[in-house]
C-alpha cells in the first residue's frame, strides 16, 4: 500500500522545505521505506521532471505490488540550487528517515546530493541529471545513473551531426556542471572525427534572451551551433534561432539534450527536422505505449519523457531488489541495496531488459530521432521518427574509460 506525503518548498521555511503534509493509509505490517522525489517543481526543468516524475514514482510503487513493507513518497523543489538540494537531502535523511532520493535534475545539485547520500549510506536513483561524472570520478556505491548522460548524448547526437558534414561547431552552453560536461564530451567526439570547435559562449541557467549569444554564433561561421542546455533554455534558444533565420542560411542546430516535452512547447512548425537522442519514447513499442496509457491519466496533460520513465523504472527495480533482500536490510545499508540492484537483471515497460554496471551506469539502447513535420504527425504527441538505434552495449561510455574508483582495473 502506498502512503503519499508531498513536501513542497516554502520560501520562509527553514532549509527551504515546508512542513510535509499528507495522510497515512491504514496500518500495515512491515517496515516503511521512504522515497524522496527531489526535483524542479517550478523552474526551467519543471516539465521534464516536476509533478510528472512524482506521478511516475507513484506508479512504480503501485506496479511493484505488496512486498511486505509500506512505502511513503515525499517530494520537494530544489530550486536548481546545490545548497538547497543538499540541505533537503540531509533533512530528509536525518529528520524524516528517507531511504531513497530519486530524480534530481541539474547536475550541480545531483553531484551535491550524490555526496550526501554516500555519506549517509542511503540510495540515490538519478534519472534527470546528465553529467557522466556520476559514473566517472564521482561514482558512488550508493548511486545508480539510470536514463541518459552527457557521454551518450554527445556520442549519439553530436556524432551523427559530424558524420552528416557538420565538422565546425560553436557551443551555446548552460553555465553549470551539466552544460560544461555536455560541451566537454561532445567536443571530444567532434575532434575524434576530425572536426573542430571554433568558439563557445556560456549563458546563465533559465535564460530568456539568447540574441547576443546567437549573434556570436552566427559570426563564427560554424556549420553547427551546439545547444548544450536543456528545458526551457533549449526551447527559448531554438525559437530565437528561428527568429534570427539561422537555419534558413544553412546553419544546423544540434540540440544535444531535448525531450518530447520541449518539442511540444516549441510546436512542430518550429521543431520540425531537429534531431535528438532519447532512451524512451512513448510510441516506441507496445510496452512503452502500455506504460504511457497507464500513467497518462495522472499527468495533467503532460506526457512522460525519458526522464520520467527513468524515475519509474529505477524505483520499480529498487523495490524488486528490496523485496529480494528484505526491507530491514535495505534500510540499514543503501550500498547493499544498490549492490543487489546491480546483481539483478532489469526489465520494465519503459526500457525493456537491461543491467546495471559496477560504476552504477544503467545500460539500455539509445535512439536517434528526427522531429516530424506537421504533415507527418497523425495524432497528438506523435512527434518522432526513428533514425537509428544504438545497442545497449555501445550506447554508453566503456566501463574502463570512466575513471570510476569502483571499477577494478
Amino acid at each position: 500500500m502506498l502512503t503519499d506525503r508531498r513536501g513542497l518548498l516554502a520560501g520562509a521555511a527553514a532549509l527551504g522545505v515546508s512542513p510535509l503534509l499528507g495522510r497515512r493509509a491504514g496500518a500495515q505490517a512491515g517496515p516503511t521505506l521512504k522515497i524522496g522525489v527531489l526535483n524542479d517543481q517550478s523552474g526551467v526543468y519543471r516539465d521534464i521532471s516536476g509533478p510528472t516524475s512524482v506521478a511516475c514514482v507513484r506508479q512504480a510503487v503501485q506496479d511493484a505490488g505488496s512486498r511486505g513493507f509500506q512505502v511513503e513518497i515525499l517530494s520537494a523543489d530544489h530550486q536548481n540550487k546545490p545548497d538547497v538540494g543538499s540541505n533537503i537531502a540531509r533533512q530528509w535523511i536525518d529528520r524524516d528517515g528517507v531511504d531513497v532520493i530519486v530524480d534530481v535534475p541539474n547536475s550541480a545539485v545531483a553531484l551535491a546530493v550524490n555526496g550526501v547520500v554516500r555519506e549517509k549510506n542511503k540510495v540515490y536513483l538519478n534519472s534527470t541529471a546528465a553529467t557522466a561524472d556520476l559514473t566517472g570520478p564521482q561514482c558512488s556505491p550508493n548511486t545508480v545513473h539510470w536514463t541518459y548522460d552527457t557521454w551518450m548524448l554527445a556520442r549519439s547526437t553530436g556524432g551523427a551531426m559530424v558524420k552528416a558534414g557538420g565538422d565546425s561547431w560553436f557551443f551555446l552552453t548552460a553555465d553549470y556542471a551539466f552544460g560544461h560536461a555536455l560541451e566537454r564530451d561532445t567536443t571530444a567526439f567532434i575532434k575524434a572525427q576530425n572536426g573542430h570547435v571554433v568558439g563557445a559562449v556560456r549563458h546563465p541557467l533559465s535564460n530568456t534572451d539568447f540574441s547576443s549569444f546567437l549573434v556570436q554564433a552566427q559570426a563564427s561561421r560554424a556549420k553547427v551551433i551546439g545547444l548544450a542546455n536543456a528545458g526551457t533554455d533549449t526551447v527559448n534558444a531554438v525559437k530565437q534561432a528561428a527568429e534570427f533565420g539561422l537555419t534558413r542560411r544553412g546553419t544546423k542546430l544540434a540540440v544535444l539534450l531535448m525531450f518530447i516535452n520541449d518539442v511540444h512547447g516549441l510546436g512542430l512548425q518550429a521543431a520540425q527536422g531537429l534531431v535528438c537522442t532519447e532512451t524512451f519514447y512513448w510510441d516506441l513499442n507496445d510496452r512503452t505505449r502500455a506504460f504511457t496509457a497507464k500513467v497518462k491519466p495522472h499527468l495533467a496533460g503532460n506526457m512522460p519523457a525519458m526522464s520520467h520513465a527513468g524515475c519509474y523504472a529505477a524505483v520499480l527495480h529498487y523495490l524488486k531488489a528490496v523485496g529480494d533482500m528484505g526491507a530491514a536490510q535495505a534500510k540499514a545499508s543503501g550500498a547493499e541495496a544498490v549492490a543487489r540492484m546491480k546483481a539483478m537483471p532489469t526489465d520494465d515497460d519503459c526500457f525493456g531488459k537491461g543491467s546495471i554496471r559496477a560504476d552504477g551506469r544503467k545500460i539500455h539502447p539509445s535512439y536517434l530521432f528526427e522531429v516530424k513535420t506537421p504533415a507527418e504527425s497523425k495524432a497528438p504527441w506523435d512527434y518522432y521518427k526513428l533514425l537509428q538505434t544504438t545497442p545497449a552495449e555501445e550506447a554508453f561510455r566503456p566501463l574502463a574509460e570512466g575513471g570510476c574508483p569502483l571499477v577494478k582495473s
Side-chain angles (χ1 to χ4, degrees), residues 326-388:
Q329 185 180 357
K331 289 178 67 66
S333 173
E336 288 187 24
V338 169
R340 187 62 60 96
M341 292 178 71
K342 293 176 180 177
M344 299 170 61
T346 66
D347 190 13
D348 58 81
D349 285 345
C350 297
F351 301 92
K353 298 180 184 298
S355 61
I356 302 171
R357 297 190 316 202
D359 60 354
R361 175 70 261 165
K362 166 63 170 57
I363 300 300
H364 42 246
S366 67
Y367 307 98
L368 187 69
F369 293 107
E370 181 179 321
V371 179
K372 292 181 175 181
T373 67
E376 291 172 322
S377 179
K378 304 303 181 185
W381 298 90
D382 174 27
Y383 292 159
Y384 288 157
K385 52 186 176 184
L386 181 63
L387 298 180
Q388 68 181 43

Side-chain angles (χ1 to χ4, degrees), residues 111-134:
L111 291 168
V113 170
N114 185 57
V116 172
V117 171
R118 182 170 189 167
E119 174 194 337
K120 301 292 185 179
N121 195 18
K122 297 301 181 179
V123 175
Y124 172 29
L125 304 178
N126 172 65
S127 180
T128 312
T131 178
D133 290 351
L134 283 169

Side-chain angles (χ1 to χ4, degrees), residues 26-27 32 100 139 156 160 167 182 188 190 206 211 340 344 390:
T32 298
V100 188
C139 72
S156 181
D167 58 1
L182 188 51
I190 293 167
S206 195
S211 56
R340 187 62 60 96
M344 299 170 61
T390 302

Side-chain angles (χ1 to χ4, degrees), residues 155-167 169 189-190 193 388:
R155 181 195 188 282
S156 181
T157 307
M161 296 293 288
V162 178
K163 288 178 182 177
D167 58 1
W169 287 59
F189 280 100
I190 293 167
Q193 297 182 66
Q388 68 181 43

Side-chain angles (χ1 to χ4, degrees), residues 90-115:
R90 287 186 184 279
Q91 184 164 297
W92 269 355
I93 294 168
D94 293 342
R95 185 194 70 183
D96 300 310
V98 165
D99 302 290
V100 188
I101 295 178
V102 185
D103 199 8
V104 198
N106 188 306
S107 292
V109 180
L111 291 168
V113 170
N114 185 57

Side-chain angles (χ1 to χ4, degrees), residues 5-9 15-20 34-39 41 54 72-78 84-104 113 116-117 120 122-124:
R5 298 172 65 198
R6 305 178 192 177
L8 299 179
L9 284 173
L15 300 181
V17 186
S18 69
L20 295 166
K34 295 186 178 181
I35 300 174
V37 185
L38 181 61
N39 61 24
Q41 297 275 334
V54 179
E72 291 184 6
I73 297 173
L74 296 75
S75 66
D77 186 340
H78 60 44
V84 173
S86 59
N87 282 338
I88 293 171
R90 287 186 184 279
Q91 184 164 297
W92 269 355
I93 294 168
D94 293 342
R95 185 194 70 183
D96 300 310
V98 165
D99 302 290
V100 188
I101 295 178
V102 185
D103 199 8
V104 198
V113 170
V116 172
V117 171
K120 301 292 185 179
K122 297 301 181 179
V123 175
Y124 172 29

Side-chain angles (χ1 to χ4, degrees), residues 204-354:
L205 182 67
S206 195
N207 194 54
T208 56
D209 184 2
F210 286 86
S211 56
S212 64
F213 305 128
L214 292 168
V215 167
Q216 292 180 63
Q218 184 178 19
S220 75
R221 298 188 180 276
K223 294 180 182 178
V224 179
I225 299 174
L227 301 182
N229 52 23
T232 57
D233 281 338
T234 298
V235 171
N236 288 334
V238 172
K239 284 181 177 178
Q240 291 171 38
E243 292 169 2
F244 272 69
L246 293 184
T247 55
R248 292 197 301 272
R249 297 171 186 147
T251 305
K252 300 292 185 182
L253 284 183
V255 186
L256 295 166
L257 178 55
M258 188 166 70
F259 302 81
I260 192 170
N261 321 83
D262 302 326
V263 176
H264 189 71
L266 283 164
L268 289 181
Q269 191 63 43
Q272 61 182 310
L274 291 176
V275 173
C276 65
T277 298
E278 299 220 39
T279 53
F280 164 88
Y281 174 44
W282 73 269
D283 201 21
L284 186 66
N285 55 47
D286 288 344
R287 294 187 75 179
T288 59
R289 286 187 286 271
F291 164 75
T292 302
K294 182 167 50 180
V295 75
K296 187 179 177 182
H298 309 293
L299 303 188
N302 201 14
M303 282 286 272
M306 60 176 171
S307 47
H308 307 124
C311 291
Y312 168 85
V315 169
L316 183 66
H317 188 65
Y318 167 77
L319 293 174
K320 290 177 182 177
V322 173
D324 186 57
M325 69 188 296
Q329 185 180 357
K331 289 178 67 66
S333 173
E336 288 187 24
V338 169
R340 187 62 60 96
M341 292 178 71
K342 293 176 180 177
M344 299 170 61
T346 66
D347 190 13
D348 58 81
D349 285 345
C350 297
F351 301 92
K353 298 180 184 298

